[in-house]
Amino acid sequence: MADIILGIESSCDDTSAAIIKDGYLLSNVIASQDVHKSFGGVVPELASRAHELNIVPVVSEAISRAGIRKTDITAIAFTRGPGLLGSLLVGTSFAKSLGLALDIPTVMVNHLQGHVLANFVRQVDKPVVEPKFPYLCLLVSGGNSQIVKVNDPLHFEILGQTIDDAVGEAFDKCSKMMGLGYPGGPVIDRLAAQGDPERFKFAKPHVPGLDYSFSGIKTSLLYFVRDEMARDPLFMENNKEDICASFQKALIDILMDKLVKASGQTGIKEITIGGGVSANSGLRTRLVQEGQKRGWNTYLPEFKFTTDNAAMIAIAGYYHYLAGERAPLDIAPVSRAADF
Ligand code: KG4
């Protein structure tokens, strides 16, 4: 009999539900929350309330688009963390209640594991192109910047991570301070495509090993823009494309330097990226170029699987389910990865 997994994701500001049948995606529904736009960042309490409103229609839609009945579901995979506690509570409680009502098991998933396994979501109309184990994943999002060594679907090691801000935070905060809008990543990505990446130079951090730091470059960009604006109030308006292109290039250089180092140290040439920032066109192009130069096999997730989505939670949950794992009914969400 087929294994049909309902995945539920509610760790931040996207309510998502997906159905996977024997590893193949049948549906993936995402309700994004516009309510945060006017605040220039995610407001946790508003996110939890929006999840409460969205969760039932989103899950119903995922079931109906998949063309199944809810009684066909074998197990429910839900994001236990890391993320915003109130938001996670909605998905976790809903998954446990539905599991109880349908008398089927639930499986808990680490959100980060979902991102690193995003390439394993199979689609009926697309060829199967999956990295071979072990592989390295550059996991870059609004809350994380890590290099992860994935040994098999259930076991991974973090080889390096940010010691301060995540790279997505650097995109978002700088965009907000420069008055370019939120979320900053897509805005900077779009403007950078029209600018000269060599025009301005930003100091790079010197962090030992495979760890990252993004707070210094963020501050240096903000001081630079402030000083130039004091001299010429139209500086930002007249140079925003070049500023974005140069800033984005600096961030990509930092990310790639450590990824190249990690590949050299481990000898692993199977390379993937994941997380919201992996939608960045400059980073994707650079990864492919670097891969060609170094003989890597590079795997880029489709755009719809880069940002938060339940398909990646369902596929990660599927592997946990096959391994016989089940979530106890008293399981609680966790906000930090370290508490998982
Ligand atoms: O994985 P994700 O959806 O969730 C959280 O970590 O919450 O990542 C969101 C992050 C934001 O920082 C956003 O600015 C960034 O991903 N992002 C991008 C792009 N699209 C989204 N960053 C750079 N370029 C993009 N095209």
Side-chain angles (χ1 to χ4, degrees), residues 12-14 111 115 141-143 168-169 171-172 183-186 189 275-277 279-281 306-308:
C12 190
D13 60 340
D14 293 300
H111 179 79
H115 276 304
S141 69
E169 245 176 299
F171 273 110
D172 292 340
D189 193 358
V277 180
N280 186 269
S281 50
T306 58
T307 44
D308 291 346

Side-chain angles (χ1 to χ4, degrees), residues 20 35 38 45 90 119 149 203 273 283 285 287 290 308 335:
I20 278 188
V35 65
S38 54
E45 178 59 24
V90 177
N119 282 294
K149 179 174 170 236
I273 47 175
L283 178 60
T285 307
L287 190 81
E290 210 63 58
D308 291 346
S335 58

